[in-house]
Amino acid sequence: MNEKEEPMNMNVTPPVEPVTEFEVPLPPDRKCPKWLVPLIAGGTAVVVLAAVGTGGYLYWNHNQLTAASGECATSYDKAVKAQKKLTEYLESDALKTAVTVKDSEVKDAKTVAVLTSTVKTAEKTKTTIPECPSGNLTDIKAMTKEIDGLATAYSRTVSEVKGKAEAVNGSKLDKIVADATKILNDSKGRVKDDKTRTVLENAIKTKDEKAISDAVKAVNDSIKAKSDADAKAKAEKAKQTAEDTAQTSGNDSGSAGDTGGGYTGYTQSQGGGYTYTPQQSTGGSTGGGYTPTPQPQPQQPSQGGGNGGGSTGGDDGYENMCFAYPTDGSPAIQVPCS
């Protein structure tokens, strides 16, 4: 017997599909339009992308700030070191020595004036280095640029001052070499030891300031030694010459005619007159002349009286005679009046 088939129930509810994150559940009796599904999905995607973009920008900006701050810090350290080098050089013994060099010690005096001016300018250089800001990328980059400029300025100033100091030292060495060369040329034949000149010549070639200074001193000492020796030898020679002259003068003193005093002696001739006869010295009279030998006084008649000096004679046959008065106080004698 056939069983009667039961009719299908048309009101049976179909199974519900799971809802995804991009689907909006609708009532069972309503259908979702086809255009609505992609619109909802696109809007959700925009929201997600916007969130992702904001986070990415913040991350990028943070990295930029970090990098800029690092660059600024590096520039700051560089500027501090450059400033320190400038300060140390301005206080160094090398610069102080160069600054104290005088115009007369260099070949070119302009180098001294330029160095002095450069040092004064360097000492007025800005000493405060600004610190790096934070939080603003533009401000950080601007400050980094300023700090880099200071670091460059400090380094350039150090190089400039060093250059001017070296110019002074070089000009000083040029004058030392020039002066030493002149001493080398002028000292030829004037030194006691010529080896000192050879040492000086070699020192000039090396342009070593200390070596030249030592060699110049040695040459000057050698010049003085020869000068002293020559002066001593000259003095000894002069002394010997004076002694020889004195000895010769002593030997000739008995015959050399002194003119400071005394008189020329005369002797009486047989005819009643006087004949010139030089008298021998008895040894160093006070006046330096000859000592006369007393002569006999002729008896002559006087005319007109009187016993003083004068002349006698005339037409009575007697020879005219004159009196000579010795300077040593001895009696007067008669001598020819001619």
Side-chain angles (χ1 to χ4, degrees), residues 80-203:
V80 170
K81 290 179 180 179
Q83 183 192 61
K84 183 179 180 182
K85 286 184 178 180
L86 174 60
T87 301
E88 289 176 348
Y89 185 71
L90 291 176
E91 297 176 354
S92 66
D93 293 338
L95 180 61
K96 290 179 180 178
T97 300
V99 170
T100 57
V101 174
K102 300 178 181 178
D103 293 353
S104 59
E105 297 176 331
V106 295
K107 193 171 184 180
D108 184 3
K110 292 181 180 179
T111 58
V112 175
V114 172
L115 174 61
T116 301
S117 176
T118 303
V119 170
K120 288 182 178 179
T121 302
E123 290 174 344
K124 297 178 181 178
T125 301
K126 184 178 180 181
T127 56
T128 302
I129 302 175
E131 296 183 358
C132 297
S134 61
N136 188 299
L137 184 61
T138 302
D139 292 344
I140 293 175
K141 288 186 176 181
M143 185 57 68
T144 300
K145 185 176 181 180
E146 180 180 347
I147 294 175
D148 283 338
L150 289 175
T152 302
Y154 291 141
S155 298
R156 182 175 60 249
T157 302
V158 172
S159 299
E160 186 177 2
V161 177
K162 279 186 177 181
K164 298 303 184 290
E166 290 173 358
V168 170
N169 292 332
S171 185
K172 180 181 178 182
L173 181 59
D174 289 343
K175 188 175 189 305
I176 289 174
V177 169
D179 292 347
T181 301
K182 187 177 186 303
I183 292 174
L184 177 66
N185 296 334
D186 294 347
S187 63
K188 186 176 182 179
R190 296 174 55 204
V191 293
K192 189 173 183 180
D193 183 3
D194 201 61
K195 291 181 180 179
T196 57
R197 297 184 67 253
T198 302
V199 174
L200 176 58
E201 183 178 10
N202 293 333

Side-chain angles (χ1 to χ4, degrees), residues 300-303 312-320:
Q300 300 291 346
S302 62
Q303 295 182 356
T312 61
D315 296 335
D316 53 1
Y318 288 96
E319 180 180 5
N320 290 335

Side-chain angles (χ1 to χ4, degrees), residues 14-31:
V16 179
E17 295 292 334
V19 179
T20 64
E21 60 180 345
F22 298 106
E23 294 179 348
V24 179
L26 297 175
D29 57 346
R30 295 186 60 183
K31 293 184 179 180

